[in-house]
């Protein structure tokens, strides 16, 4: 694959903030082999989601269907999920403060300015929060925050 071994990619158009944010995120993300495994797993999960057509913004892609295998796998996943309690997501005080700041400000740049942070550090923090919430896309996480979906996490 083209990005085999990569732990991050920065889509074009590339901005200095995006590069700095990606570097800060990688440096804060633990051992490289663990990060690579997580990125590969996230990519496989995203491909499976796209194949199922879960995202309304993307048309389902034509491709081979291994329906019997998919049914077996999903039955196993359902059984495993039923027997494994979902751990509660706990954000740190500073992560909750960051989300509150983002909610109160009209833009990420303004929130960063008000909190005395760089935009790249705000995005790196958002990605760390996103990993806890299994939401790797910082922009989607921000949309969910502004839509009120994360209000329960902002309580002290």
């Amino acid at each position: 694959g083209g990005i085999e071994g990569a732990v991050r990619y920065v889509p074009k158009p590339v901005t200095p903030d995006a590069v700095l944010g990606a570097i800060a995120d990688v440096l804060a993300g633990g051992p490289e082999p663990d990060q690579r495994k997580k990125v590969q797993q996230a990519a496989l999960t995203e491909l499976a989601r796209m194949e199922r057509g879960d995202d309304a913004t993307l048309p389902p892609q034509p491709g081979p269907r291994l329906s019997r295998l998919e049914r077996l796998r999903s039955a196993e996943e359902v059984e495993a999920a039923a027997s494994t309690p979902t751990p509660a997501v706990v954000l740190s005080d500073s992560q909750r403060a960051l989300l509150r700041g983002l909610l109160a400000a009209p833009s990420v740049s303004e929130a960063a300015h008000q909190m005395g942070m760089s935009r790249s550090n705000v995005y790196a923090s958002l990605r760390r929060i996103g990993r806890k919430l299994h939401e790797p896309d910082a922009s989607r996480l921000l949309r969910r925050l502004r839509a009120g979906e994360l209000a329960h996490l902002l309580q002290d």
Side-chain angles (χ1 to χ4, degrees), residues 73-84:
R73 186 183 65 213
S74 63
E76 288 167 6
E77 287 170 358
V78 167
E79 192 176 317
S83 64
T84 308

Side-chain angles (χ1 to χ4, degrees), residues 34-47:
D34 294 350
Q35 288 190 62
R36 239 191 344 261
K37 187 174 180 182
K38 284 180 189 171
V39 169
Q40 289 167 350
Q41 194 59 50
L44 290 172
T45 301
E46 180 72 4
L47 283 171

